[in-house]
């Protein structure tokens, strides 16, 4: 439609030109009639067509250039994005590599610490075993020394004295038993509970022990009839004040209260009570 309009405009303009020439007069008419009309009209059309085609080509070129430019821009953008992604990926890879290296170092350190602790554990176990063996040995030594101590105490507690040109030994126990068990101990060791039949001996026995000890005197067989373990009767007693009192009718064995006056320290007491004792050999 546009090309047709253009041709019509051109033809119309040519007609206007001719009309103007007609208006100029016959001189001018002879000149127009002498010029060839058809070739000029075709050349103008070719020129217009060429111009239009050239314009179209230019437009197409511009469009092609724009499309190419857009394509290049898009490719650059894609490349830039790709480059950024690759750089970011590489950066993450590097960080992971660093973290992995750090973890390897930490793992080696932990392994080293574990080995060290394991070694210390073994050393401690060895020390514990050694100390346990040493403790057991010390316990055995202690038991042995304690046994020796008891034996030495027994020897120390034994005291011998010249009595009527006869050496008499006294044993003072470190443990406590009933009167009957105490007497049995003395008899098992070749003696008996001590018999005190002189003031001198009373003083001596009182000086040996400051506690409460059984002596070989009782009225077990007959209440009120005090007799020594050798069945000899009591001739002289060294009783505490108000003793013997046979308290509650249950006091038949005699103890020495060494903390009291050396000549007034006997007391009758229940035979089942436990006291230290003095043997005489
Ligand atoms: Ca009595
Ligand atoms: Ca009494």
């Amino acid at each position: 439609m546009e090309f047709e309009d253009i041709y019509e405009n051109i033809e119309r303009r040519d007609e206007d030109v001719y009309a103007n020439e007609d208006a100029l007069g016959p001189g001018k008419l002879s000149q127009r009639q002498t010029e060839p009309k058809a070739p000029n009209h075709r050349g103008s059309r070719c020129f217009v067509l060429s111009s239009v085609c050239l314009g179209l080509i230019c437009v197409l070129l511009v469009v092609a250039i724009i499309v190419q430019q857009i394509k290049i821009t898009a490719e650059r953008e894609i490349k830039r994005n790709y480059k950024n992604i690759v750089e970011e990926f590489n950066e993450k890879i590097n960080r992971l590599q660093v973290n992995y290296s750090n973890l390897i170092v930490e793992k080696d350190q932990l392994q080293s610490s574990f080995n060290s602790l394991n070694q210390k554990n073994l050393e401690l176990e060895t020390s514990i075993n050694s100390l346990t063996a040493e403790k057991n040995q010390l316990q055995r030594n202690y038991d042995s020394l304690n046994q020796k101590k008891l034996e030495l105490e027994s020897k120390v507690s034994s005291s011998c004295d010249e009595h009527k040109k006869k050496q008499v030994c006294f044993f003072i126990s470190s443990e406590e038993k009933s009167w009957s068990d105490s007497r049995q101990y003395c008899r098992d060791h070749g003696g008996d509970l001590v018999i005190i039949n002189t003031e001198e001996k009373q003083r001596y026995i009182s000086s040996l022990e400051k506690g409460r000890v059984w002596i070989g005197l009782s009225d077990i067989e007959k209440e009120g009839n005090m007799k020594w373990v050798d069945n000899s009767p009591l001739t002289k007693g060294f009783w505490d004040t108000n003793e013997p009192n046979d308290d509650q009718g249950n006091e038949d064995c005699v103890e020495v209260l060494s903390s009291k006056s050396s000549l007034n320290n006997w007391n009758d007491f229940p035979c089942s009570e436990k006291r230290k004792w003095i043997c005489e050999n």
Side-chain angles (χ1 to χ4, degrees):
M1 292 296 290
E2 290 180 355
F3 293 153
E4 291 176 355
D5 293 338
I6 294 170
Y7 294 150
E8 286 178 2
N9 292 331
I10 293 172
E11 288 176 352
R12 201 177 295 122
R13 192 179 61 185
D14 291 341
E15 288 175 354
D16 292 339
V17 170
Y18 293 149
N20 292 331
E21 287 178 351
D22 291 340
L24 290 175
K28 296 293 180 176
L29 181 62
S30 59
Q31 187 179 356
R32 187 188 64 180
Q33 289 175 343
T34 60
E35 295 176 357
K37 187 178 178 182
N40 286 338
H41 182 70
R42 282 196 299 273
S44 298
R45 280 194 161 191
C46 288
F47 175 75
V48 170
L49 282 173
S50 300
S51 299
V52 169
C53 289
L54 186 61
L56 286 173
I57 290 170
C58 290
V59 169
L60 289 174
L61 281 173
V62 168
V63 170
I65 290 170
I66 291 171
V67 169
Q68 187 67 22
Q69 189 63 35
I70 291 172
K71 185 178 176 184
I72 291 171
T73 304
E75 286 179 352
R76 284 179 180 171
E77 186 66 22
I78 290 171
K79 285 182 180 177
R80 188 163 55 248
N81 290 337
Y82 174 75
K83 185 180 178 183
N84 291 336
I85 291 171
V86 168
E87 287 178 353
E88 189 176 347
F89 179 74
N90 287 334
E91 191 176 343
K92 286 184 179 178
I93 288 289
N94 290 334
R95 283 203 299 268
L96 288 173
Q97 185 68 37
V98 171
N99 289 339
Y100 175 75
S101 300
N102 291 337
L103 287 173
I104 288 293
V105 171
E106 287 184 16
K107 178 209 165 208
D108 292 341
Q109 291 175 346
L110 287 173
Q111 184 67 44
S112 176
S113 298
F114 174 78
N115 292 337
S116 176
L117 288 173
N118 200 35
Q119 180 64 28
K120 286 183 179 177
N121 182 46
L122 292 175
E123 292 175 0
L124 284 174
E125 284 183 354
T126 303
S127 297
I128 287 172
N129 293 334
S130 174
L131 288 173
T132 300
E134 190 175 347
K135 175 200 164 213
N136 292 334
Q137 182 61 41
L138 287 172
Q139 183 66 45
R140 287 192 291 273
N141 292 342
Y142 171 79
D143 293 340
S144 174
L145 288 172
N146 199 39
Q147 181 62 31
K148 288 182 180 177
K149 169 180 168 271
L150 291 175
E151 292 174 3
L152 286 172
E153 281 182 351
S154 298
K155 289 180 181 177
V156 169
S157 297
S158 298
S159 178
C160 299
D161 191 17
E162 288 288 336
H163 183 70
K164 293 183 180 179
K165 296 183 180 179
K166 177 186 174 186
Q167 188 181 47
V168 179
C169 295
F170 302 97
F171 167 79
I172 305 172
S173 73
S174 57
E175 54 183 334
E176 295 183 340
K177 294 178 182 290
S178 67
W179 188 88
S180 298
D181 289 342
S182 298
R183 186 182 183 198
Q184 188 61 48
Y185 179 93
C186 294
R187 297 175 74 148
D188 289 343
H189 289 79
D192 209 332
L193 286 172
V194 64
I195 295 173
I196 303 173
N197 44 18
T198 65
E199 183 175 314
E200 178 190 3
K201 198 171 181 179
Q202 167 63 22
R203 290 181 187 277
Y204 182 73
I205 293 299
S206 297
S207 68
L208 293 179
E209 171 64 36
K210 295 303 178 186
R212 303 172 70 163
V213 292
W214 291 127
I215 59 175
L217 183 66
S218 71
D219 62 349
I220 293 174
E221 293 183 358
K222 184 179 179 182
E223 176 56 35
N225 184 21
M226 289 291 176
K227 290 174 60 176
W228 292 106
V229 289
D230 62 353
N231 286 323
S232 61
L234 175 64
T235 55
K236 178 175 175 58
F238 301 94
W239 297 103
D240 192 9
T241 307
N242 300 324
E243 302 294 346
N245 59 354
D246 195 41
D247 188 29
Q248 300 183 16
N250 189 35
E251 293 186 336
D252 297 334
C253 295
V254 177
E255 62 176 350
V256 170
L257 309 172
S258 302
S259 60
K260 294 199 171 184
S261 172
S262 61
L263 295 180
N264 299 100
N265 56 14
W266 291 7
N267 173 43
D268 57 342
F269 206 65
C271 300
S272 60
E273 292 294 323
K274 292 184 177 180
R275 293 282 184 270
K276 293 182 180 180
W277 66 91
I278 298 178
C279 300
E280 179 179 356
N281 292 71

